Amino acid sequence: MEFANVRWLSDLVMDDPTFFHQCEMSTLDQLTSEHIAVALAGNDFQASFSSESYTSYPDFAPAAAAGNTFSCSSMEASQTGGGVDRPAKLPKTSSWSSCNAEQASAVVADASSPNILSFGRQNGAAGNPRSGYHQLGGFVGAPVKPKEEVSFSLSHGTKRSCVSMAAEVGGRRANTGSTRPPSHSQDHIIAERKRREKLSQRFIALSAIVPGLKKMDKASVLGDAIKYVKQLQERVKAMEDETAKRTVESVVLVKRSHVQVDDDTSSCDENFDVGPDGRPAGGGETFPEIEAKLSDRSVLVRVHCEKRKGVLVKVLAEVEKLHLTVVSTSVMPFAGSALDVTMDEEFSMTVKDLVRQLNSAFRRFMEILAQVLYADLPFLKSFKGSKREDLFGSTASQAHSRRKEGQFSHLHQKEKERGNTRSSETDLGVFRVKVSRKPREALGDLRAGLHLRLGGSPQRDAEEEERGSRRREEECSVSGADGQGGLGENKRRRYAASGGGGRGRRVT
Amino acid sequence: MEFANVRWLSDLVMDDPTFFHQCEMSTLDQLTSEHIAVALAGNDFQASFSSESYTSYPDFAPAAAAGNTFSCSSMEASQTGGGVDRPAKLPKTSSWSSCNAEQASAVVADASSPNILSFGRQNGAAGNPRSGYHQLGGFVGAPVKPKEEVSFSLSHGTKRSCVSMAAEVGGRRANTGSTRPPSHSQDHIIAERKRREKLSQRFIALSAIVPGLKKMDKASVLGDAIKYVKQLQERVKAMEDETAKRTVESVVLVKRSHVQVDDDTSSCDENFDVGPDGRPAGGGETFPEIEAKLSDRSVLVRVHCEKRKGVLVKVLAEVEKLHLTVVSTSVMPFAGSALDVTMDEEFSMTVKDLVRQLNSAFRRFMEILAQVLYADLPFLKSFKGSKREDLFGSTASQAHSRRKEGQFSHLHQKEKERGNTRSSETDLGVFRVKVSRKPREALGDLRAGLHLRLGGSPQRDAEEEERGSRRREEECSVSGADGQGGLGENKRRRYAASGGGGRGRRVT
DNA sequence: TTATACACGTGAAAC
DNA sequence: TGTTTCACGTGTATA
């Protein structure tokens, strides 16, 4: 950073000695937020840093600046007599910090009251080059010329331009033969100062948050800011792509039978019910916890459930019915059950489409799993070679009736009696499944089979009430897609949304 | 977007009809890169859009502007006779698009040659308010006043200010009794125009890449850009934190016996040897592919290796020796073998420290695994109840001697003869291990045991030559940490860095 | 009408 | 030295 090249900066932030240090911070730092907050305090800067420094302007100009480095003290005296005008240009050595609200507040009143200052030529004399009609045409006042001559000759050789001060200090409305009313010019000047200051403030703020600035001039700050924004955007885009890719490849996340109905591919941890300690509330109340995950062309599904005899066989049979090939399975004594469906065929569909297809399909599959595990649905009786007791160790109706008072307590009791499991033990089942058909067809069958099976479930849990409408839409849309019509209120999912804690942490 | 409030924009980008549309794009779009590239083409804008529009300035002013909306045609004639000056302000209705390089290039020459233009009052008359010494003091030329009066009166009631044109058109060095040489003023004006244009260009570019701009004035653009940068920074920061967290939780990644020696926690896929198709070169040449992964307080290690009898038992025995408790294991017929070490104890160390510890520890463990699988090390004989033949189906020396001509061909042959596996089949072993001691102690034992075992290995593969020095450092530092001294050249790892492809894709 | 925004040319200062 | 950058006050246009 070149301090020597920051006049517009030094003019405005000298009262903040930490600013330059902040500039050196490479990346975003909350320390800079003050500056930014100040700069962004609003479009009007009266109530912010700008107003402070700005309102101090009229006073500051003759006082601080002249007191520091101005060489034309005599001029200055006359100017200060004029009252409100500031020097033509802030010298780089002038310190804004010395001019604060104390002086400013007092003088500002004068500055804001143009009538005090309205004397002699001031407005017209300050005309810009094009406003020559002010200088020559508009105003014909004689005093303008000598006074400015004086100021010019006085400050000509000096470093500081008291010249301009003289010009400004000169009469205010003397020759405003132009379009502007007498007092408006001064207001205009002040407003323009304010605008400039606001812009400078924002330049400062911008330069504070853009790292690696070598040059501090406005053009460079803008240019570097542009580059930096582009760079940040690209970075964010890359990261979002990465995240999206990862998200797309790990799409469906269903736990505790709360089938997610979000239509995009984002994961949805927010629906997890977590106990006070962030872990599952304990016992069977949190199960089943079902997660489906798509990676590359494989789909991994984990089912975290109570250790139960026959569950693995039933789930695998269900998978096979869906024209998926079980490649491998694994069951571990851990708080989860994973089912990995690997599809080795080459698809012509994009990964995103595949994900969408599988997303929708496996959401249905999750429902099936949930119902297989807990629901008292008629179609469960159709499981070949299985009775409800094989699945749960008790009848489904019993399980359903006791769900609210501890979903699996009776099951645990039964299991314990058989010595199959401890109350805190769970199954971790890992199934590797391979589809033998194209996924679109397989998913079609999946949907058809799901609707067929779902058609026989007449009941629903009271806990599902609040999510009913959303799921109803989802259900209807899907069922309409395969021509089976809506499932209706009485056909909605019946898996138990067992209250209590679920695990929010995702197993990646 | 308010088009009515974009004068600084309309002045500069009217020749790009797509600009406003670009502004409406919500996020970064490559379409805007042209503008940005233009704006950032360099600090000098002569060779870019700016130079084009700028150099056309002198000509444009009287030609295009006057032709469009200027009301003072007579003045204009005299002004254009003056040659180089532009109107005081571009009218909003003026079209920059109509003024391009054709006119500009011709007139620019005149503009750049001040002598042609140097007549009458021009410089001084255009003085700013403070430069009253120009208007009154510096120049005393009579023609100035009437001419500007004329221009003023003429343009006073009009919308356009031919006034200023007249002022500029006035003589160049007539009354430059000030500090500035006669011809310099015009250059200064041009330079200042150039600077302003550059700034405006960058404002345009900035506004083009900042999405959601409602107001297009400079202050708002700056303010919104600041907000946007902050927002982007926070977003990047959040994403980086997320990535870092994920990286920390998935730290060690070792494949194909290439023990990673990077001391930070970043993953290191770059050392994977990948075949031409991005997949492993095929066959046993790519194995073992070992990956260690830390998630929460669990460590997942996958070992992707040839299906071999006894490997699982040996690896698990090795894990048990390291005071880790195998919680569960799973073996799948997939291209990998995973070993999951779950540590359920509560640690007082931070996750990062834990990762570092486990990183170092499991790097050693990976070596052990590699040596168990392939190396002909003396300590392998100490495996209780196992012979080399149990591991590989042949002696280690045989394996070593044949490694370069297809590392596992002989093993495959043997396996095939036994009917245990197909040549393309692999093991996927999943081991869930639980430590019964504090990890620090366990890791200490791990190191001690590793060094004890590594101490007896006198040979190394020629393929390891190029990586020798780097690993030597790592080895010495680790051995020094536990007080056993450096292992020296003859104690370096011996696992076969079997050439060929490794799988670069990470299994997440 | 008032208030705001902008480009302008300028002198001064930093480089 | 010349070049570049800046803030200034202004006229004008817009809302």
Side-chain angles (χ1 to χ4, degrees):
Chain A
M1 180 178 303
E2 303 171 359
F3 283 7
N5 201 9
V6 289
R7 286 216 310 273
W8 60 274
L9 221 161
S10 62
D11 288 343
L12 291 158
V13 295
M14 278 304 182
D15 56 342
D16 187 355
T18 68
F19 171 70
F20 291 111
H21 180 259
Q22 292 176 21
C23 282
E24 290 171 352
M25 297 184 300
S26 60
T27 59
L28 82 162
D29 194 306
Q30 288 306 105
L31 290 178
T32 62
S33 58
E34 312 127 16
H35 263 110
I36 298 153
V38 165
L40 299 178
N43 283 332
D44 54 344
F45 270 61
Q46 280 89 345
S48 68
F49 174 84
S50 174
S51 87
E52 180 178 284
S53 59
Y54 163 64
T55 53
S56 66
Y57 239 26
D59 184 34
F60 156 73
N68 286 340
T69 55
F70 266 54
S71 60
C72 50
S73 58
S74 63
M75 270 307 300
E76 168 196 345
S78 65
Q79 292 162 201
T80 51
V84 296
D85 294 309
R86 67 187 299 185
K89 189 168 190 173
L90 266 317
K92 211 166 190 173
T93 55
S94 70
S95 171
W96 276 87
S97 60
S98 63
C99 127
N100 282 330
E102 312 90 31
Q103 308 170 328
S105 60
V107 187
V108 159
D110 297 350
S112 61
S113 63
N115 50 0
I116 300 177
L117 313 164
S118 57
F119 66 92
R121 48 111 192 85
Q122 195 275 341
N123 174 21
N128 68 1
R130 285 161 282 108
S131 66
Y133 56 88
H134 277 177
Q135 307 158 12
L136 302 172
F139 83 80
V140 292
V144 175
K145 201 178 284 183
K147 195 166 188 177
E148 287 179 337
E149 274 181 339
V150 169
S151 62
F152 164 75
S153 61
L154 197 152
S155 66
H156 179 48
T158 65
K159 300 182 68 151
R160 213 66 58 218
S161 69
C162 299
V163 175
S164 60
M165 294 173 70
E168 293 182 15
V169 164
R172 168 151 292 169
R173 56 168 131 51
N175 58 350
T176 303
S178 68
T179 60
R180 199 168 297 280
S183 65
H184 282 53
S185 292
Q186 193 64 18
D187 294 342
H188 186 34
I189 291 171
I190 292 174
E192 181 63 18
R193 284 177 189 169
K194 186 177 166 184
R195 173 181 165 271
R196 279 196 300 263
E197 183 133 358
K198 179 164 71 177
L199 275 175
S200 294
Q201 273 293 330
R202 306 216 168 164
F203 268 105
I204 292 165
L206 185 61
S207 68
I209 63 172
V210 174
L213 286 178
K214 294 178 295 304
K215 297 178 67 177
M216 291 298 289
D217 64 276
K218 290 180 178 178
S220 299
V221 168
L222 273 182
D224 290 342
I226 290 163
K227 293 179 193 168
Y228 182 58
V229 168
K230 288 281 290 183
Q231 168 183 337
L232 281 178
Q233 284 173 334
E234 289 173 1
R235 203 167 173 182
V236 167
K237 196 177 192 306
M239 285 174 142
E240 280 179 341
D241 288 351
E242 178 74 12
T243 301
K245 188 181 295 179
R246 198 159 25 216
T247 301
V248 165
E249 290 177 349
S250 173
V251 177
V252 191
L253 186 59
V254 183
K255 295 193 178 182
R256 292 182 55 253
S257 306
H258 284 187
V259 175
Q260 304 300 329
V261 293
D262 58 328
D263 46 359
D264 63 350
T265 59
S266 63
S267 64
C268 32
D269 286 343
E270 65 273 10
N271 282 352
F272 298 164
D273 293 327
V274 183
D277 56 348
R279 300 178 68 84
E285 297 171 356
T286 65
F287 303 125
E289 188 175 278
I290 306 172
E291 177 182 358
K293 202 170 171 184
L294 176 66
S295 178
D296 203 9
R297 288 198 177 91
S298 301
V299 176
L300 170 72
V301 179
R302 295 198 189 110
V303 178
H304 179 185
C305 62
E306 294 289 317
K307 186 183 182 78
R308 196 91 38 227
K309 196 175 182 180
V311 169
L312 174 60
V313 174
K314 291 310 159 201
V315 171
L316 290 179
E318 200 62 27
V319 167
E320 296 282 359
K321 286 178 185 171
L322 299 169
H323 305 285
L324 303 175
T325 302
V326 175
V327 174
S328 63
T329 71
S330 175
V331 180
M332 297 186 191
F334 191 62
S337 172
L339 186 143
D340 187 355
V341 181
T342 304
M343 297 178 287
D344 292 333
E345 296 188 359
E346 296 295 327
F347 309 134
S348 59
M349 50 201 303
T350 66
V351 177
K352 188 128 188 168
D353 289 336
L354 174 63
V355 168
R356 291 189 186 283
Q357 293 275 355
L358 292 172
N359 184 10
S360 176
F362 274 96
R363 267 188 273 164
R364 304 290 163 269
F365 183 59
M366 290 308 107
E367 302 167 16
I368 287 290
L369 291 178
Q371 294 175 37
V372 167
L373 292 172
Y374 303 111
D376 48 354
L377 299 179
F379 71 82
L380 286 177
K381 301 182 181 116
S382 67
F383 276 80
K384 61 173 181 284
S386 71
K387 295 176 183 176
R388 298 302 302 276
E389 285 76 9
D390 292 339
L391 276 171
F392 304 112
S394 67
T395 65
S397 58
Q398 284 174 338
H400 181 67
S401 61
R402 297 178 191 174
R403 200 165 293 146
K404 294 206 175 183
E405 59 195 12
Q407 195 169 1
F408 296 98
S409 57
H410 61 293
L411 304 180
H412 283 154
Q413 183 61 24
K414 272 226 164 186
E415 293 274 12
K416 281 176 186 170
E417 290 170 0
R418 291 191 243 167
N420 281 341
T421 181
R422 295 169 303 187
S423 64
S424 61
E425 199 89 329
T426 60
D427 281 345
L428 173 63
V430 179
F431 314 104
R432 301 212 43 170
V433 183
K434 182 174 181 177
V435 286
S436 57
R437 295 168 55 187
K438 289 184 180 178
R440 205 177 287 269
E441 302 173 16
L443 297 179
D445 290 344
L446 170 61
R447 282 186 181 172
L450 282 167
H451 284 110
L452 184 63
R453 294 189 187 93
L454 288 170
S457 58
Q459 293 172 343
R460 50 191 286 262
D461 288 322
E463 293 129 319
E464 288 296 313
E465 279 289 352
E466 60 253 334
R467 303 174 194 264
S469 61
R470 189 151 155 257
R471 291 193 182 163
R472 188 153 43 239
E473 295 177 11
E474 170 81 356
E475 189 71 81
C476 292
S477 66
V478 171
S479 60
D482 57 10
Q484 299 222 5
L487 292 172
E489 191 74 10
N490 60 341
K491 296 180 182 178
R492 278 162 51 203
R493 294 157 191 73
R494 207 133 320 277
Y495 47 81
S498 56
R503 177 165 292 184
R505 182 171 62 85
R506 289 177 61 184
V507 183
T508 55
Chain B
M1 184 178 302
E2 304 171 358
F3 284 6
N5 201 10
V6 290
R7 287 218 308 274
W8 60 275
L9 222 161
S10 63
D11 288 343
L12 292 158
V13 294
M14 278 302 182
D15 55 343
D16 187 353
T18 68
F19 171 71
F20 290 111
H21 180 260
Q22 292 176 21
C23 282
E24 291 173 351
M25 296 184 300
S26 62
T27 60
L28 83 161
D29 195 307
Q30 288 306 106
L31 290 178
T32 64
S33 59
E34 312 127 16
H35 264 112
I36 298 152
V38 165
L40 300 177
N43 283 332
D44 53 345
F45 270 61
Q46 280 88 348
S48 68
F49 174 85
S50 173
S51 84
E52 180 177 286
S53 59
Y54 164 63
T55 52
S56 65
Y57 238 28
D59 186 31
F60 157 73
N68 287 338
T69 57
F70 264 56
S71 59
C72 49
S73 58
S74 62
M75 269 305 300
E76 168 194 342
S78 64
Q79 290 160 202
T80 51
V84 298
D85 292 310
R86 67 188 299 187
K89 188 169 190 173
L90 265 318
K92 212 166 191 173
T93 56
S94 69
S95 171
W96 277 86
S97 60
S98 62
C99 128
N100 282 331
E102 312 90 34
Q103 307 171 328
S105 60
V107 186
V108 159
D110 297 350
S112 60
S113 63
N115 48 3
I116 299 178
L117 313 164
S118 57
F119 65 93
R121 47 107 190 87
Q122 195 276 338
N123 176 21
N128 68 2
R130 285 160 282 110
S131 65
Y133 56 91
H134 276 177
Q135 308 160 10
L136 303 170
F139 84 81
V140 292
V144 176
K145 201 177 286 183
K147 194 165 189 178
E148 288 179 335
E149 274 180 337
V150 169
S151 62
F152 165 71
S153 62
L154 198 153
S155 68
H156 179 49
T158 67
K159 301 182 69 147
R160 213 67 56 221
S161 70
C162 299
V163 176
S164 60
M165 296 174 69
E168 292 182 16
V169 165
R172 168 151 294 170
R173 54 171 132 52
N175 58 350
T176 304
S178 68
T179 58
R180 200 169 295 280
S183 65
H184 283 52
S185 292
Q186 192 64 17
D187 295 341
H188 184 36
I189 292 171
I190 291 174
E192 183 62 18
R193 285 177 187 168
K194 187 175 165 184
R195 173 183 165 271
R196 280 196 298 264
E197 183 135 358
K198 179 165 70 176
L199 276 174
S200 294
Q201 273 292 329
R202 306 217 169 164
F203 268 105
I204 292 166
L206 185 62
S207 67
I209 63 173
V210 174
L213 287 179
K214 293 177 296 301
K215 298 178 68 177
M216 290 299 290
D217 63 277
K218 290 180 178 178
S220 298
V221 168
L222 274 182
D224 290 342
I226 291 163
K227 293 179 193 168
Y228 183 56
V229 167
K230 288 283 289 181
Q231 168 182 336
L232 282 178
Q233 284 172 334
E234 289 175 1
R235 203 165 174 181
V236 166
K237 195 176 193 308
M239 283 174 141
E240 280 178 343
D241 290 350
E242 179 73 10
T243 301
K245 187 181 295 179
R246 198 158 26 215
T247 301
V248 166
E249 290 178 348
S250 174
V251 177
V252 191
L253 187 58
V254 183
K255 293 193 179 182
R256 291 182 54 253
S257 307
H258 285 188
V259 174
Q260 303 300 329
V261 293
D262 58 327
D263 46 358
D264 63 352
T265 60
S266 64
S267 64
C268 32
D269 286 343
E270 65 275 6
N271 282 352
F272 298 162
D273 293 327
V274 183
D277 56 348
R279 299 180 68 84
E285 296 172 356
T286 66
F287 302 126
E289 189 176 278
I290 306 173
E291 177 182 359
K293 203 171 170 185
L294 176 66
S295 177
D296 203 8
R297 288 197 177 92
S298 301
V299 176
L300 170 72
V301 178
R302 294 198 190 112
V303 178
H304 180 186
C305 62
E306 294 289 319
K307 187 182 181 77
R308 196 96 33 231
K309 197 174 184 180
V311 169
L312 174 59
V313 174
K314 293 308 160 203
V315 171
L316 290 180
E318 198 63 26
V319 168
E320 296 281 359
K321 284 179 185 171
L322 300 170
H323 305 285
L324 303 176
T325 300
V326 176
V327 174
S328 64
T329 71
S330 175
V331 180
M332 297 186 194
F334 190 61
S337 172
L339 185 141
D340 187 356
V341 181
T342 302
M343 297 178 287
D344 292 334
E345 297 187 358
E346 297 294 328
F347 309 134
S348 59
M349 49 202 303
T350 66
V351 176
K352 190 130 185 168
D353 290 335
L354 175 63
V355 168
R356 291 188 186 283
Q357 294 275 355
L358 291 173
N359 184 12
S360 175
F362 274 94
R363 268 188 274 166
R364 304 291 163 267
F365 182 60
M366 290 308 108
E367 301 167 17
I368 287 289
L369 289 178
Q371 294 174 36
V372 167
L373 291 171
Y374 304 112
D376 48 356
L377 299 179
F379 72 82
L380 285 178
K381 301 181 182 115
S382 66
F383 275 78
K384 60 173 181 282
S386 70
K387 296 177 183 176
R388 299 301 303 275
E389 286 77 9
D390 289 338
L391 276 171
F392 303 112
S394 67
T395 64
S397 59
Q398 285 173 335
H400 182 66
S401 63
R402 296 179 192 173
R403 200 165 293 148
K404 293 208 176 183
E405 58 195 13
Q407 195 170 359
F408 294 98
S409 57
H410 61 293
L411 304 179
H412 283 155
Q413 185 61 26
K414 272 229 166 188
E415 294 272 14
K416 282 177 186 170
E417 291 168 0
R418 290 193 244 168
N420 280 343
T421 182
R422 296 169 301 187
S423 63
S424 62
E425 200 89 329
T426 58
D427 280 345
L428 172 62
V430 179
F431 313 105
R432 301 213 45 179
V433 182
K434 181 176 182 178
V435 285
S436 59
R437 295 167 55 186
K438 289 184 180 177
R440 205 176 289 268
E441 301 174 16
L443 298 180
D445 290 344
L446 171 60
R447 283 187 183 172
L450 283 167
H451 285 110
L452 184 63
R453 294 189 186 92
L454 288 170
S457 60
Q459 296 171 341
R460 52 193 284 262
D461 289 322
E463 293 128 319
E464 287 295 312
E465 281 289 353
E466 60 255 348
R467 302 174 195 263
S469 60
R470 189 152 156 255
R471 293 195 180 159
R472 192 151 43 238
E473 295 178 12
E474 169 79 357
E475 190 70 55
C476 293
S477 68
V478 171
S479 59
D482 58 8
Q484 298 222 7
L487 292 173
E489 191 73 9
N490 60 342
K491 296 180 181 178
R492 279 168 42 210
R493 292 158 190 75
R494 206 131 323 276
Y495 47 80
S498 56
R503 176 165 293 186
R505 184 171 61 87
R506 292 177 61 182
V507 183
T508 55

